[in-house]
Amino acid sequence: MENSRYWIRSVARAAEVLEALAGGPPGEGLSVTEVAAACGLSKSSAFATLYTLQRFGLAADDGEGMNRRYRLGMALARLGDRARDQLSLRDVARPILVELTRTTGMNSRLAIPESDQAVVIDQVSNGERIQVDLRMGVRELPHCTGLGKALLAEMEDRQVEALIERVGLPRRTAHTITDLDRLLAHLRDIRETGYALDDEEDAEGVFCVGSALRDHSGTCAGAISITGLKPALPTWRYQELGRQVRDAARRISSELGYRP
């Protein structure tokens, strides 16, 4: 229970009822009794909340008497469209990237998929005198960068194969993956861990860890990464950095409305 003096119980109850309706079976809706049980309310409180939500178009009903069922109202679709129009990926990601740079000590970046590559649209520098050459608008190859591989891992194997047929697997360093079967196996590992590691695959002496972002519909909206000069770190430290990037990506996805 929220203890803040700004907490308004009736508003919280309405939000809980909307969440209950959202979780109802598609095409069926919920009865007052089911809404009350889901939210821990009396039937009279559940009915009053549903009645009020209906007046604003946030809930709707079908049927009569004991057969009446409630569902989400179409006003929510309009509000959802407006919310997405007002939402900027860069604005949502920026504070989390700043925090990620602070906690890891690495440069962080945000990219979106475009024309088979990852295009960097924002970055946060760690402020160190010696910097990796990172530029806004740069296009990252899909098969050998943290950002690119994070985006590739969001695709099905057949989509990856079609993309690689278009762009190829050019060798950037001695560590670059240039075999399609090996790349597909590598992407399966990325899907399992939730983050992608570029271990000197795009540039000698540079490493990058990336993780994909998802929006309210579950669609891949982009990816974030940390990048730095490769230090002599134990394997567990790279895994720790990977988890930090993955957790930051999940926070951004949550802000975008993604619910696993």
Side-chain angles (χ1 to χ4, degrees), residues 5-232:
R5 64 190 179 92
Y6 300 110
W7 181 262
I8 301 176
R9 182 65 190 122
S10 59
V11 176
R13 183 186 303 128
E16 291 168 356
V17 168
L18 289 174
E19 288 287 353
L21 294 178
E28 295 182 23
L30 298 175
S31 67
V32 171
T33 301
E34 289 170 331
V35 171
C39 300
L41 302 172
S42 66
K43 288 178 64 175
S44 60
S45 293
F47 177 78
T49 303
L50 288 164
Y51 178 84
T52 305
L53 290 171
Q54 279 183 281
R55 296 299 296 269
F56 287 91
L58 301 174
D61 67 346
D62 295 299
E64 298 291 338
M66 298 297 292
N67 294 321
R68 179 171 292 173
R69 313 287 289 184
Y70 293 86
R71 55 179 171 76
L72 295 177
M74 290 305 296
L76 289 168
R78 176 178 58 82
L79 293 174
D81 288 340
R82 291 297 301 275
R84 285 190 290 274
D85 290 342
Q86 295 173 5
L87 190 64
S88 163
L89 176 58
R90 186 183 287 106
D91 290 343
V92 170
R94 165 56 74 142
I96 297 176
L97 290 181
V98 170
E99 182 180 342
L100 183 62
T101 289
R102 180 181 59 79
T103 56
T104 64
M106 307 285 179
N107 300 290
S108 59
R109 294 187 294 165
L110 168 67
I112 57 173
E114 184 178 288
S115 302
D116 294 336
Q117 295 181 320
V119 179
V120 177
I121 62 171
D122 198 12
Q123 61 186 27
V124 177
S125 171
N126 62 3
E128 292 185 356
R129 184 173 59 85
I130 300 176
Q131 288 284 327
V132 180
D133 184 18
L134 303 175
R135 294 182 299 276
M136 295 285 290
V138 68
R139 293 178 177 272
E140 301 262 313
L141 291 171
H143 69 296
C144 61
T145 63
L147 289 169
K149 290 196 288 185
L151 294 176
L152 274 187
E154 293 294 299
M155 303 167 63
E156 297 179 2
D157 282 359
R158 59 181 178 79
Q159 294 174 309
V160 174
E161 292 170 0
L163 185 150
I164 295 304
E165 186 174 345
R166 292 192 297 270
V167 303
L169 294 168
R171 181 178 296 279
R172 298 278 290 174
T173 73
H175 305 281
T176 304
I177 296 175
T178 57
D179 176 77
L180 179 58
D181 288 337
R182 184 182 167 202
L183 176 64
L184 293 175
H186 183 58
L187 294 178
R188 287 192 284 272
D189 291 338
I190 293 171
R191 296 181 189 116
E192 183 70 23
T193 62
Y195 62 85
L197 174 63
D198 156 19
D199 188 7
E200 296 187 277
E201 296 167 51
D202 185 51
E204 295 287 353
V206 177
F207 84 104
C208 178
V209 183
S211 187
L213 310 173
R214 295 182 182 179
D215 63 17
H216 68 285
S217 67
T219 302
C220 179
I224 62 170
S225 71
I226 56 172
T227 305
L229 297 174
K230 185 177 179 182

Side-chain angles (χ1 to χ4, degrees), residues 214-216 218 250 253-254 257-260:
R214 295 182 182 179
D215 63 17
H216 68 285
R250 287 175 176 173
S253 296
S254 178
Y258 175 64
R259 299 293 182 267

